[in-house]
Amino acid sequence: MHPLLTGAIAAALFPALAHAAEPLTLNYKLGVVSAYQTRGLTFSDNRPAVQGLVTVSADSGLYGWAWGSSIADYSGANAEIGVAVGWTGTAGGATLDVALSRYKYPGGEGVDFWEIPVSAAHTRGEWTWMLGAVWSPAQDTLGGQDNRYGYASATWTSPKAPVSLTMQLGHEHGAFAP
């Protein structure tokens, strides 16, 4: 995605969040995981990773987040940093979410990239069903190719304890595949 277009989108959304008439909500998470894996690949060489997430959201559904994780050496990088702006809301009983995300790898050579994730989820009782897709437009980092990832997931949340189980099946095609 062209940097000017991305800058224009971010410039439009961040002030909207900062000057929203409704109150803003700040959430954060910090933790250690036994291994950082995503889409079937390990980013921490199957070792523990330190991760953190900060999210700012408005009642209108606009949100922004910043994420970070330690990773195993990835083209010279030892950390992954992600930022995003997006919107989430409900329509027809489903929760919709669309965002623009940027992933950076400080110290890495030619590995930063953009993604556009979209999803729709529906909760019934203790179960949440989700369909989603993530598209990375063609960019130099991806060798001039694009990348597409589609997935379906089901999450069961216990009504009696803070426990949930998620099953997810996905398929990746493009620059990041197989």
Side-chain angles (χ1 to χ4, degrees), residues 52-121:
L53 171 70
V54 176
T55 304
V56 177
S57 57
D59 290 342
S60 64
L62 289 174
Y63 66 85
W65 57 253
W67 143 270
S69 181
S70 59
I71 61 173
D73 182 52
Y74 181 53
S75 294
N78 291 311
E80 176 183 76
I81 298 172
V83 294
V85 292
W87 174 85
T88 188
T90 57
T95 300
L96 308 175
D97 194 327
V98 62
L100 175 63
S101 308
R102 173 77 168 162
Y103 291 91
K104 297 189 67 59
Y105 300 86
E109 288 292 321
V111 289
D112 301 349
F113 65 95
W114 294 97
E115 284 189 334
I116 301 171
V118 297
S119 66

Side-chain angles (χ1 to χ4, degrees), residues 2-51:
H2 194 278
L4 290 178
L5 176 59
T6 303
I9 292 169
L13 286 176
F14 278 122
L17 279 171
H19 294 86
E22 65 253 342
L24 297 178
T25 301
L26 176 68
N27 287 303
Y28 56 90
K29 295 179 184 181
L30 181 62
V32 177
V33 296
S34 59
Y36 172 26
Q37 295 184 355
T38 186
R39 299 184 197 165
L41 299 174
T42 178
F43 275 71
S44 65
D45 199 21
N46 293 315
R47 294 185 183 135
V50 177
Q51 300 180 334

Side-chain angles (χ1 to χ4, degrees), residues 39 117-120 130-134 149-153 168-171:
R39 299 184 197 165
V118 297
S119 66
M130 181 184 291
L131 291 174
V134 181
Y149 174 69
Y151 63 93
S153 70
Q168 182 166 313
L169 179 64
H171 178 75

